[in-house]
Amino acid sequence: MEVVAVGSSGVMRDDVHRLRRRPDGLRDIVVFTSLLAVFDHAAGRRFVRELAAAFPDRTIRLQVKAPFRGRETADAFVEACTRGLANIVYAESNLVELIECSGYAFSDPSTVVIECLQFGVPSFMIDVLDFHRTCFYRDFPDLCVASADRAIERIRAIESGTWRYPRETFDGVIDLSGRVALDVIREGMGLAPLEAPCREATRRHGGVDARG
């Protein structure tokens, strides 16, 4: 039996088309949290605040995943992260909306990490949870940052051209072609896709077959 990376099954066809129109050159940052928020993790608070302080001219959108919103610890986490920093915005927007307006994404351990990179956003796992002893993402060191300093360094290196986000090396983790997951599944079952592969989508999403 072969395991095939098909991409996010939760992103619908209309959303994929919408994300194909995502503009180039975005510089704002989104930070997705779940465990960091629910445990009001000190290293997580420090990560968010230092990231925002390093890029005061950018909007940092901080999201707490829906199942954890409203918890006392999560509310305390958001308050601690945003206190005194005007460029941090608490966002309850959905994944597609946040991908659409972000140039970079960071998340504690979650599928969000690879869903963002699937749709062309350089994304990283925030690897600061001391109790999180095993994680598949650590098999891909370029996908992880263990401090805000490292995250800041990565963003600046991408923008200066001294480092390129190696999206193609994550091809086995999630489908990078820009295709709709349902069509990949249909092809695997011997059925015709509902939509032909789009070379422009492949280029925009950073797929390994990008040739312009």
Side-chain angles (χ1 to χ4, degrees):
M1 182 178 293
E2 181 183 5
V3 178
V4 179
V6 299
S8 175
S9 61
V11 179
M12 300 294 100
R13 188 175 301 276
D14 287 349
D15 292 329
V16 173
H17 292 170
R18 176 177 167 183
L19 290 173
R20 287 176 185 169
R21 299 189 294 270
R22 178 177 164 271
D24 294 322
L26 296 174
R27 299 172 74 245
D28 287 347
I29 301 166
V30 59
V31 181
F32 298 94
T33 64
S34 52
L35 294 177
L36 288 177
V38 78
F39 288 106
D40 190 15
H41 202 279
R45 296 195 303 268
R46 187 163 57 250
F47 182 97
V48 175
R49 292 185 63 82
E50 290 178 3
L51 191 63
F55 299 106
D57 60 331
R58 310 186 193 198
T59 298
I60 314 298
R61 293 179 177 86
L62 175 64
Q63 190 211 55
V64 176
K65 285 189 176 180
F68 305 104
R69 293 173 194 163
R71 298 193 186 191
E72 184 176 348
T73 50
D75 290 344
F77 176 81
V78 172
E79 196 282 326
C81 287
T82 58
R83 187 187 308 128
L85 290 168
N87 63 323
I88 302 182
V89 176
Y90 175 61
E92 292 190 352
S93 306
N94 65 37
L95 176 66
V96 171
E97 292 170 336
L98 290 171
I99 290 175
E100 193 173 32
C101 63
S102 301
Y104 303 92
F106 297 87
S107 174
D108 51 16
S110 167
T111 58
V112 167
V113 176
I114 54 175
E115 287 169 332
C116 287
L117 79 85
Q118 176 188 5
F119 294 107
V121 181
S123 62
F124 303 87
M125 184 185 83
I126 305 169
D127 194 6
V128 298
L129 294 169
D130 48 1
F131 56 81
H132 195 216
R133 296 185 179 180
T134 60
C135 181
F136 171 68
Y137 293 149
R138 291 184 186 133
D139 293 340
F140 302 86
D142 286 330
L143 205 54
C144 304
V145 290
S147 69
D149 285 344
R150 185 60 167 167
I152 294 162
E153 174 188 299
R154 286 305 201 194
I155 291 173
R156 288 178 173 160
I158 290 170
E159 295 184 352
S160 68
T162 58
W163 185 72
R164 186 179 67 84
Y165 185 75
R167 183 176 285 107
E168 70 280 357
T169 66
F170 309 132
D171 187 45
V173 184
I174 194 165
D175 181 65
L176 297 178
S177 68
R179 294 180 296 170
V180 179
L182 176 61
D183 286 340
V184 181
I185 295 170
R186 286 177 62 88
E187 287 181 324
M189 297 172 65
L191 302 173
L194 299 179
E195 178 181 321
C198 173
R199 292 185 67 188
E200 175 64 12
T202 299
R203 183 190 68 79
R204 289 300 308 279
H205 292 299
V208 295
D209 193 37
R211 289 186 286 267

